[in-house]
Amino acid sequence: MSGLVTGDAVVLELQPARLPSRALAVLIDLVVVWAAYLLITLGLAVATASLDEAAVMAVSVASFLLLLVGAPIAVETLSHGRSLGKLACGLRVVRDDGGPIRFRHALVRGAMGVVEILMTFGVVACVSSLVSERGRRLGDVFAGTLVVRERIPAARVLAVPPPPPWLAGRFAGIDLSAVPEALWLEIRQYLTRARELDPVVGRRLAERLADELVARTGTPPPAGVPADAYLAGVVAERQTRDARRAFASAGARAGAGAGAGAMVPGVVPPAVGSSLAFALPVDSPPPVASAPLPVAPPVVDPAPVVDPVPVVAPAVESGARPTGFVPPA
């Protein structure tokens, strides 16, 4: 694995492609390109049969540059570094910082590929790829690119054998904070492959790993405990702590989710001191509001009936002329 540092200070672990896989990808690309070039050349020969020699030569040079040089550049630019051969072999061209390539990267690689691959039949590309630490040819060096593997076979993970039962809980108070991950990886690899090693070599390797672990933790193995059992007991203690920490964090997240689910929108929680707060548990469903009872309209007393006051016409004096006017009551 090759550690590449991006612009955001992130270390990318990429596996550079080596010469066999790159040679196979280039061979596939060349077969496809040359087949297309021959077919197009035959078609152009028939189409330009009536032209003079200079025109035919110009068409041949143009077809050579467009197909054998321009086509790979266009394919790598549009596919971000994945030609047909690289796609079949699981490879990709990336920048030195791990990002996708652009037109200028593909142009430099294609121009150098004419010299490295076509003119020298791949000899210069093979030599530079073998000499380079990350398998880069001259086109990659000048363009600032790197060919990496995208499909990496998954490693088979073997279970670490458990420690002897009489060592259970003997390393509960050991301090594991100073043990690096590289040492844990070496111990796990030894424990998973201890049965495949020679007994003498395995015992020496276990003693060396145990000494390094004691130097990091400051806790020597108990008297009479072999080195391999000591390593298995310490690894089992670390796995127990990791599992306990993972279960604790999962329980905290579940508790937080349950607390958030107890708050029902639209329902005002009762006060802490009220009796309803103790009568309704948190997990109980919110009370359903009952329909309001119909309210009878108020009874209004009818207005009292008042008898009309009779209007009595005044007496008309004798001899007076009636005018037809009646004074108000």
Side-chain angles (χ1 to χ4, degrees):
M1 305 300 289
S2 176
L4 300 180
V5 181
T6 65
D8 298 330
V10 178
V11 179
L12 301 177
E13 292 186 352
L14 303 176
Q15 183 175 359
R18 296 303 176 183
L19 181 60
S21 58
R22 295 192 61 176
L24 180 60
V26 171
L27 181 61
I28 295 175
D29 291 337
L30 288 179
V31 169
V32 174
V33 170
W34 276 104
Y37 175 71
L38 292 178
L39 292 178
I40 294 177
T41 301
L42 292 177
L44 291 176
V46 175
T48 58
S50 60
L51 299 179
D52 55 356
E53 184 178 357
V56 172
M57 183 62 64
V59 171
S60 301
V61 173
S63 62
F64 175 83
L65 293 177
L66 289 177
L67 294 178
L68 296 182
V69 181
I73 295 174
V75 169
E76 285 193 354
T77 303
L78 297 177
S79 63
H80 299 290
R82 297 183 68 183
S83 61
L84 184 61
K86 292 181 177 62
L87 181 62
C89 297
L91 308 180
R92 179 188 287 271
V93 183
V94 297
R95 300 197 306 260
D96 283 338
D97 58 353
I101 64 172
R102 298 181 180 179
F103 173 72
R104 59 185 180 89
H105 304 95
L107 179 61
V108 175
R109 295 186 78 255
M112 292 299 299
V114 175
V115 180
E116 290 184 274
I117 300 175
L118 297 180
M119 293 186 177
T120 61
F121 299 99
V123 176
V124 176
C126 292
V127 173
S128 60
S129 180
L130 290 175
V131 173
S132 176
E133 181 182 359
R134 295 187 291 182
R136 302 199 302 177
R137 61 181 179 89
L138 294 181
D140 296 320
V141 175
F142 286 104
T145 57
L146 175 67
V147 181
V148 297
R149 297 186 61 88
E150 284 191 322
R151 295 195 299 263
I152 300 177
R156 186 179 59 176
V157 179
L158 301 178
V160 179
W166 46 272
L167 276 181
R170 295 289 298 273
F171 305 102
I174 190 173
D175 184 14
L176 304 177
S177 59
V179 182
E181 291 296 331
L183 182 57
W184 285 121
L185 181 60
E186 291 184 14
I187 296 175
R188 286 178 58 88
Q189 290 178 349
Y190 163 74
L191 292 176
T192 53
R193 310 223 178 243
R195 297 180 180 179
E196 303 176 3
L197 300 176
D198 183 75
V200 178
V201 177
R203 184 173 63 254
R204 292 177 181 176
L205 181 58
E207 291 175 354
R208 182 182 65 82
L209 294 175
D211 293 339
E212 294 183 8
L213 191 59
V214 169
R216 297 287 184 174
T217 60
T219 303
V225 176
D228 54 351
Y230 170 69
L231 296 175
V234 175
V235 170
E237 176 63 25
R238 189 203 178 189
Q239 292 177 349
T240 302
R241 295 183 184 181
D242 293 342
R244 189 184 302 116
R245 190 181 304 110
F247 288 143
S249 60
R253 289 194 298 268
M263 299 298 295
V264 180
V267 178
V268 179
V272 177
S274 64
S275 60
L276 185 59
F278 296 96
L280 295 178
V282 177
D283 298 335
S284 62
V288 181
S290 59
L293 298 176
V295 180
V299 180
V300 181
D301 295 336
V305 179
V306 182
D307 295 336
V309 180
V311 179
V312 180
V316 180
E317 298 180 358
S318 61
R321 185 177 181 180
T323 59
F325 172 77
V326 179

